[in-house]
Amino acid sequence: MQAEPSPRVHQLAVPKKNFRSLSDGIKRIHVYSCGRNSVIWDVSPLAMQAEATPRVMELSRFKMPPPAYREDRINHALSCGRESPIWQVSAAAKRARDKHSLEALARPKTPHRDYQPPREVETVVSDNAKKAVASPRLESLARPKSRPDGPFRDAKWPVSDLARNATATPRQLELAKPKGLVDGYQPERTVQWEVTRAARRTVATARTVDLSRPIMRATMDHVQFNPDAFIVSEAAKKGRCPPRIEELAQPITRS
């Protein structure tokens, strides 16, 4: 807290100079600028009475088009800013005569000589058709067919004696025979069948009995628990370490 800043820090701490003149006043924000500062401000009377220099007058002149420049077609009044394809026709074009080829191409295509226009939806019946008389044949064909009401025959009807005494031909008897089975065909067995007496009296062999015995395994508790795990055997008690193990067992001496 008692340190003193260096001259460089003092120099950097100096605020930036405000070059705005007090006569300009506070620039108000434009009404329709969406919060942005307006670039339009009041012009001073001295600026309004100032005269432009010759250099400024020279730079303010618009660029003149070259002598060979041709103005574009006048835009149409209702073209929304687009160039209109309509332009004024010259007097020579108005007085020009059409060629025979143009007149022939301008004529509409005539229909074929056998062309018939479509008939109207409502046709007019002729007087001859109104006074026509139908022939006896037409009247007979126009009569509806008469059919009796109800079923035509019963569902059961008697068989005639001729049909009962009829005898089938050899060809019909041959066709009526059912298709035979192949030699050696055996029908499928039923789902349940009786066990034979020989199968009931069968005695299993020693090998079958041996294979049928389940494998006896100890539980995981007995497998993982070994009560003799920490008991030192008598042979281990009488054992002697070789010289190499005694050498490796010596602690490392550090100075």
Side-chain angles (χ1 to χ4, degrees):
M1 296 178 67
Q2 298 178 0
E4 294 183 0
S6 61
R8 177 59 178 168
V9 175
H10 278 290
Q11 182 181 0
L12 295 174
V14 175
K16 189 176 181 180
K17 182 180 178 181
N18 186 8
F19 294 94
R20 177 177 292 181
S21 176
L22 298 177
S23 60
D24 295 340
I26 301 175
K27 299 294 187 299
R28 297 182 179 179
I29 299 176
H30 197 265
V31 179
Y32 302 104
S33 63
C34 299
R36 300 180 182 179
N37 294 332
S38 176
V39 297
I40 302 174
W41 57 82
D42 297 336
V43 183
S44 62
L46 296 177
M48 298 178 67
Q49 297 177 2
E51 294 182 359
T53 59
R55 177 60 179 169
V56 174
M57 295 290 293
E58 183 180 358
L59 294 175
S60 63
R61 293 176 188 156
F62 58 89
K63 187 176 181 180
M64 299 296 295
Y69 171 75
R70 298 179 62 183
E71 187 178 0
D72 296 337
R73 299 171 184 170
I74 302 174
N75 295 337
H76 197 266
L78 304 177
S79 63
C80 299
R82 301 180 183 178
E83 295 182 358
S84 174
I86 302 174
W87 59 88
Q88 297 180 358
V89 183
S90 61
K94 293 179 180 179
R95 293 193 298 268
R97 293 184 178 181
D98 298 334
K99 299 180 181 179
H100 297 286
S101 179
L102 293 177
E103 291 180 356
L105 293 174
R107 295 193 192 107
K109 187 176 181 180
T110 57
H112 194 266
R113 60 177 180 274
D114 298 334
Y115 171 76
Q116 294 182 2
R119 298 177 61 183
E120 297 180 358
V121 179
E122 297 179 358
T123 57
V124 180
V125 183
S126 61
D127 296 335
N128 295 331
K130 293 179 181 179
K131 298 177 182 179
V133 179
S135 61
R137 177 60 179 167
L138 291 177
E139 291 183 357
S140 63
L141 293 174
R143 294 194 189 101
K145 189 175 182 179
S146 59
R147 292 185 177 89
D149 298 335
F152 298 99
R153 66 179 183 181
D154 297 336
K156 296 180 181 180
W157 60 90
V159 183
S160 62
D161 296 336
L162 295 176
R164 293 178 182 178
N165 299 328
T167 304
T169 60
R171 178 59 178 167
Q172 291 177 349
L173 294 175
E174 183 180 359
L175 294 174
K177 291 179 182 178
K179 188 176 181 181
L181 301 175
V182 184
D183 296 339
Y185 170 78
Q186 294 182 2
E188 58 181 5
R189 298 178 63 180
T190 58
V191 179
Q192 297 179 358
W193 61 88
E194 297 180 358
V195 183
T196 61
R197 185 177 299 178
R200 295 176 185 175
R201 296 177 180 179
T202 303
V203 179
T205 60
R207 178 60 178 167
T208 304
V209 175
D210 188 10
L211 293 175
S212 63
R213 290 173 184 164
I215 300 174
M216 302 299 295
R217 294 185 178 89
T219 60
M220 295 300 296
D221 298 339
H222 293 81
V223 171
Q224 295 179 358
F225 176 71
N226 186 7
D228 299 334
F230 302 99
I231 297 177
V232 183
S233 62
E234 297 296 336
K237 292 179 181 179
K238 298 177 182 179
R240 292 184 179 181
C241 296
R244 178 59 179 167
I245 294 178
E246 291 181 357
E247 182 183 356
L248 294 174
Q250 295 295 329
I252 300 174
T253 57
R254 294 182 176 90
S255 57

